[in-house]
Amino acid sequence: MRVVITGAARGLGAALTSRFLSARHSVIAVDCDWQNCKPGAQHEAHIRLQADLSDPSEIAGLVSSVRETGSVDVVIHNAGINATGPFDQIAVSAMCRVIEVNLRAPILMTSALLKQQLIAENGTLVFIGSLSSHLSYPGAAAYAASKDGLLSFARSLTPSLAKRNIACLSVLPGPLDTQHARRHAPQSADGTGRLDPAIAADKIYAALQRQRKTLVPGWRARIYSRIGTTAPWLAERIMRKAVFLPLCETHAETVREMPK
Amino acid sequence: MNPAALPARRYRLLPGSRNAATRPSSAGSADHATSLSGRRVVITGGTDGIGLHLARIMTCQGADLLIVGRQREDAVRANLMHRQHYVRADLSRPDSPALVSQAIDALGWQKIDILIHNAAAGWVGPVEEQSAASVDELISTNLLSPIILSQLLTPQLRMAGGKILFIGSVSADQPCPSFAVYSATKAALSGFARSLRSELKGEIDVQVIHPGPTRTAFHTKSGFRSPRLARFFMPPDVVANAIFRRIERKHATSTVSHGAWLTELFRRVRVRI
Ligand SMILES: NC(=O)c1ccc[n+]([C@@H]2O[C@H](COP(=O)([O-])OP(=O)(O)OC[C@H]3O[C@@H](n4cnc5c(N)ncnc54)[C@H](OP(=O)(O)O)[C@@H]3O)[C@@H](O)[C@H]2O)c1
């Protein structure tokens, strides 16, 4: 299989890359920043591309690079960024970037790949959303927006692409044990309960093999998902208490520590 | 046949949507508890369709309005009522929220009671045929501008203990292959509102109202022509009236559509799967 993975330098994207490479698939790994990454095995099966997905022209460039190598079987829209804090204190530019990278980029990329018929028959589009779609994410409303939009986009594509034998898989991971997630977690969070990205990658790989439509990886995430779907008010309370209020504290602290 | 000429009662909502538009408008009655006198309201996209009607209803209820639109001021001035102000800002452009904010400062409004995000752009067709510019326009108009504007106006809304109302769409939670990007922006808006509501609890109320198909120029503007289907759409004044009634309530989300409660139920079940 030929696989495109965005945001592949770190975190879940890196884990997915290893997972697919170890199963002898070829991977086109995309990221905006390859610095401080282990040098990848430079063989044909692993191509690294650099593209800043917040820029539409770089997405177009990325798609033409993909075209040079032929059509692909799996596209994993994994690249995602976050911006956390009290809503009125997050920089506008940060929120725009969240929407651009998490929502606009997968839309533009999917649209271009489909237009140029670069997705092979029996191919799959994988959308990495977030568990926040089953809960809420106070302290990261723009992020929650981008992920809800992404999953809605996947839902809309599913029936029309099914006619062309292209499948969609939506993934809703809870907190992962990645650098990025830790950076956006409240300071007080001890990191227990975060899912190892390697395990998440395994589960995504398996879901792909089984042609599933949605996946909530990990039992903790599934419990939260169940709470969110059956008792939204309870989920909202938990999220406010466990995420938002500590986030505000962290934010207040960083503001205090900032040199005047 | 001109769909606008059809009698309104053909669009009566099904029973069950008893709060919606089936009742005759009592918007003008003085004893109605929802009088808005002295309230300050900002509404985007108040130059056409649902927004135009909603702005009129709210003005009749005594509110002071700031209408945001992309048309030139001389083109809309004739339609403006007493106590309606207008600011020209094209919400598909990144500088527009700041323009709105400046207009509010110029009016000297230190408090805003209701901010209504109603303006939206649509595009109909398979996603691979949609240009990058159109994707960008939809995301900016329907999602980014509301987010930024909400942030800019948070201080004024806080002062009033006000409300942010997002006009969503029933399409947000249904698979819509022919307007995938539009529904994605509406779903995103609804996810944004859900998180923001929890964040601003006790300070600013956040509400989402999802209209069903409405007989406005929106569909033509989006490149969709289907006069036959449009016969079954609701008229915009009926929808605006139903939205107005729901503003006074505290429901986080509600739907204005044929058989609204059924649609809302369907929507809730769907979104949680
Ligand atoms: N019609 C439906 O079936 C339907 C169904 C569900 C939800 N909705 C939602 O209901 C809301 C109102 O829709 P509608 O049917 O009343 O549509 P409409 O008749 O087209 O009105 C939309 C309003 O938004 C304004 N607008 C559009 N793009 C703008 C921009 N870039 N900058 C500033 N203003 C802009 C329009 O200005 P112009 O007058 O210059 O065009 C107009 O005033 C929208 O949020 C829509 O998504 C509609």
Side-chain angles (χ1 to χ4, degrees):
Chain A
M1 273 194 317
R2 301 191 63 244
V3 187
V4 176
I5 302 174
T6 66
R10 276 161 284 269
L12 180 60
L16 283 165
T17 306
S18 318
R19 183 67 189 83
F20 279 91
L21 285 175
S22 74
R24 305 189 170 281
H25 300 298
S26 66
V27 176
I28 301 177
V30 183
D31 207 292
C32 61
D33 176 15
W34 285 103
Q35 268 174 15
N36 307 325
C37 282
K38 274 183 275 168
Q42 282 303 332
H43 50 77
E44 267 177 42
H46 186 195
I47 302 172
R48 278 181 176 177
L49 295 177
Q50 182 162 348
D52 179 355
L53 296 174
S54 66
D55 181 348
S57 65
E58 295 208 15
I59 294 174
L62 169 66
V63 171
S64 30
S65 313
V66 170
R67 189 178 47 207
E68 279 162 26
T69 61
S71 64
V72 294
D73 301 284
V74 178
V75 179
I76 307 186
H77 294 291
N78 163 75
I81 55 173
N82 200 346
T84 47
F87 169 62
D88 49 350
Q89 288 168 39
I90 303 178
V92 165
S93 57
M95 288 194 291
C96 289
R97 227 180 119 78
V98 166
I99 302 288
E100 285 163 8
V101 173
N102 299 6
L103 179 61
R104 189 177 70 180
I107 291 178
L108 290 178
M109 198 169 142
T110 305
S111 165
L113 288 169
L114 287 172
K115 185 170 191 172
Q116 305 184 30
Q117 297 187 319
L118 290 176
I119 298 171
E121 197 157 311
N122 296 319
T124 309
L125 300 177
V126 183
F127 296 88
I128 308 293
S130 159
L131 189 59
S132 67
S133 293
H134 284 181
L135 305 164
S136 60
Y137 195 170
Y143 176 87
S146 70
K147 293 301 189 181
D148 270 26
L150 185 67
L151 292 187
S152 156
F153 182 66
R155 199 165 42 224
S156 290
L157 286 187
T158 305
S160 58
L161 291 188
K163 288 184 205 139
R164 297 196 227 165
N165 276 332
I166 299 173
C168 294
L169 165 64
S170 300
V171 184
L172 293 84
L176 294 174
D177 193 10
T178 64
Q179 248 180 29
H180 179 265
R182 261 179 262 126
R183 203 178 326 130
H184 285 284
Q187 242 163 38
S188 53
D190 56 2
T192 49
R194 297 182 170 279
L195 186 64
D196 181 350
I199 296 177
D202 270 343
K203 292 187 185 295
I204 294 169
Y205 187 79
L208 201 68
Q209 302 290 326
R210 277 189 236 128
Q211 304 187 336
R212 290 183 52 178
K213 296 238 179 313
T214 51
L215 167 70
V216 179
W219 60 269
R220 273 197 178 85
R222 276 199 295 280
I223 290 177
Y224 277 110
S225 152
R226 194 48 69 81
I227 296 174
T229 50
T230 50
W233 53 272
L234 180 61
E236 195 200 302
R237 277 200 179 177
I238 295 175
M239 290 303 281
R240 197 175 145 90
K241 219 165 170 179
V243 180
F244 180 57
L245 298 178
L247 262 177
C248 288
E249 259 165 49
T250 307
H251 184 83
E253 248 160 60
T254 38
V255 170
R256 224 175 292 138
E257 281 164 14
M258 244 163 12
K260 291 256 158 59
Chain B
M1 181 174 184
N2 174 14
L6 290 167
R9 62 186 163 73
R10 294 190 68 170
Y11 303 92
R12 282 233 303 219
L13 308 185
L14 297 178
S17 59
R18 62 194 153 74
N19 319 311
T22 39
R23 275 185 273 162
S25 160
S26 61
S29 65
D31 60 330
H32 204 262
T34 56
S35 171
L36 289 173
S37 60
R39 301 292 183 94
R40 286 168 173 170
V41 179
V42 177
I43 181 168
T44 65
T47 55
D48 199 4
I50 299 170
L52 180 68
H53 286 280
L54 192 54
R56 285 193 180 149
I57 294 172
M58 296 187 99
T59 306
C60 291
Q61 287 287 306
D64 287 319
L65 257 79
L66 176 65
I67 295 173
V68 182
R70 59 183 163 185
Q71 295 176 31
R72 292 210 340 244
E73 189 166 353
D74 45 349
V76 295
R77 190 173 298 132
N79 284 329
L80 288 184
M81 297 166 69
H82 182 53
R83 278 185 283 108
Q84 285 189 345
H85 308 275
Y86 181 76
V87 57
R88 183 183 189 194
D90 183 344
L91 296 169
S92 65
R93 296 164 54 117
D95 62 342
S96 56
L99 291 176
V100 178
S101 174
Q102 281 160 20
I104 287 164
D105 291 343
L107 285 172
W109 288 8
Q110 261 140 34
K111 286 184 181 181
I112 294 169
D113 296 281
I114 310 177
L115 167 61
I116 306 177
H117 295 291
N118 163 76
W123 193 90
V124 173
V127 67
E128 61 266 35
E129 283 168 25
Q130 188 166 0
S131 70
S134 161
V135 171
D136 206 42
E137 184 203 345
L138 261 59
I139 291 180
S140 300
T141 312
N142 303 0
L143 183 59
L144 276 177
S145 287
I147 292 178
I148 301 169
L149 191 58
S150 302
Q151 192 194 50
L152 285 180
L153 302 188
T154 301
Q156 290 94 322
L157 286 158
R158 267 214 180 97
M159 288 272 278
K163 162 180 291 211
I164 306 178
L165 169 63
F166 295 94
I167 303 297
S169 167
V170 288
S171 72
D173 299 302
Q174 274 145 41
C176 305
S178 50
F179 34 106
V181 179
Y182 169 76
S183 7
T185 60
K186 289 296 185 181
L189 210 51
S190 149
F192 177 72
R194 200 168 63 242
S195 297
L196 195 64
R197 179 179 170 86
S198 149
E199 210 176 296
L200 298 177
K201 204 166 222 162
E203 299 180 278
I204 300 171
D205 191 24
V206 178
Q207 196 177 11
V208 189
I209 299 181
H210 299 283
T214 308
R215 210 164 358 105
T216 64
F218 182 78
H219 309 277
T220 336
K221 289 179 202 169
S222 313
F224 182 57
R225 268 162 253 279
S226 130
R228 253 201 266 171
L229 264 184
R231 305 178 90 229
F232 301 102
F233 290 1
M234 295 171 294
D237 54 337
V238 171
V239 173
N241 207 20
I243 291 175
F244 172 69
R245 287 161 183 288
R246 274 144 212 253
I247 290 177
E248 285 296 296
R249 303 164 164 232
K250 291 274 169 193
H251 294 171
T253 64
S254 54
T255 302
V256 175
S257 186
H258 298 289
W261 67 270
L262 203 69
T263 320
E264 176 68 10
L265 184 75
F266 181 69
R267 206 189 67 76
R268 283 190 196 184
V269 170
R270 181 118 218 166
V271 75
R272 302 290 176 196
I273 293 174

